[in-house]
Amino acid sequence: MKHRKRSWLLWLVLILVVAAQFVPVARDNPAVLADFDDRPGVRLVLKRCCYDCHSNESVWPWYSFIAPVSWLVASDVHEAREKLNFSEWGLMADDKRRHALEEIWKEVEEGEMPLRIYLVMHSEARLSDQDMAILHEWTGGDSPTSGHQHND
């Protein structure tokens, strides 16, 4: 009897996992409206570490096609674009851009960005001390974090 319940439960889970694959997920990349156009060194760091979530140029990895992970990835990307989208950087008013620069440095300095969960599958997005110095100088950050391990 116990074996029969376990078998039934496994079939139910399998059916639910398969059915979940048919739930539509928006993995879109809208048009780039006014892309980030600043220093090339800054752009390289941002493209490598930030653009997958904070631009309309996301590269959707294989795991973003498998539910339920696909739901989380798509949700995170859409939320990130709402907060900061480098594909619309040129459309930002100067005061909003200044505020964005402050927020970027704050998040980076505190090790909040890139997200640790993102770094698990994208180790190339880990910020080096040189990346931190580039971002610090660009954002006008108050002090680079010296000797601090970033997103280990």
Side-chain angles (χ1 to χ4, degrees):
M1 183 72 141
K2 196 172 194 175
H3 176 66
R4 189 179 235 167
K5 282 184 180 181
R6 189 177 310 158
S7 177
W8 183 84
L9 184 60
L10 287 173
W11 276 107
L12 179 62
V13 168
L14 180 62
I15 290 168
L16 289 174
V17 167
V18 170
Q21 306 314 307
F22 294 99
V23 174
V25 175
R27 285 178 295 271
D28 57 337
N29 278 333
V32 174
L33 301 177
D35 201 10
F36 177 84
D37 186 21
D38 206 313
R39 299 168 217 164
V42 174
R43 182 175 169 81
L44 286 173
V45 172
L46 295 178
K47 279 198 117 6
R48 180 173 45 83
C49 302
C50 309
Y51 263 54
D52 270 352
C53 297
H54 292 283
S55 82
N56 295 346
E57 300 177 50
S58 301
V59 175
W60 297 96
W62 63 268
Y63 55 84
S64 70
F65 292 86
I66 301 171
V69 175
S70 59
W71 307 336
L72 176 64
V73 172
S75 174
D76 285 353
V77 169
H78 290 104
E79 182 181 332
R81 287 177 182 168
E82 285 180 23
K83 290 180 180 176
L84 174 66
N85 190 337
F86 288 110
S87 296
E88 298 173 0
W89 184 259
L91 300 177
M92 291 175 100
D94 287 342
D95 61 328
K96 288 193 180 217
R97 191 176 296 140
R98 277 191 296 276
H99 179 71
L101 289 169
E102 291 171 10
E103 287 299 309
I104 290 167
W105 178 247
K106 179 182 166 205
E107 294 287 322
V108 166
E109 184 181 39
E110 293 175 357
E112 298 296 321
M113 287 288 156
L115 293 175
R116 291 180 192 273
I117 195 165
Y118 179 77
L119 293 172
V120 169
M121 297 296 283
H122 302 273
S123 60
E124 74 281 358
R126 193 172 307 277
L127 291 167
S128 68
D129 288 340
Q130 182 179 2
D131 296 334
M132 292 289 287
I134 288 169
L135 293 176
H136 176 262
E137 194 264 324
W138 171 64
T139 61
D142 52 4
S143 65
T145 310
S146 56
H148 177 66
Q149 290 292 70
H150 309 292
N151 295 317
D152 286 333

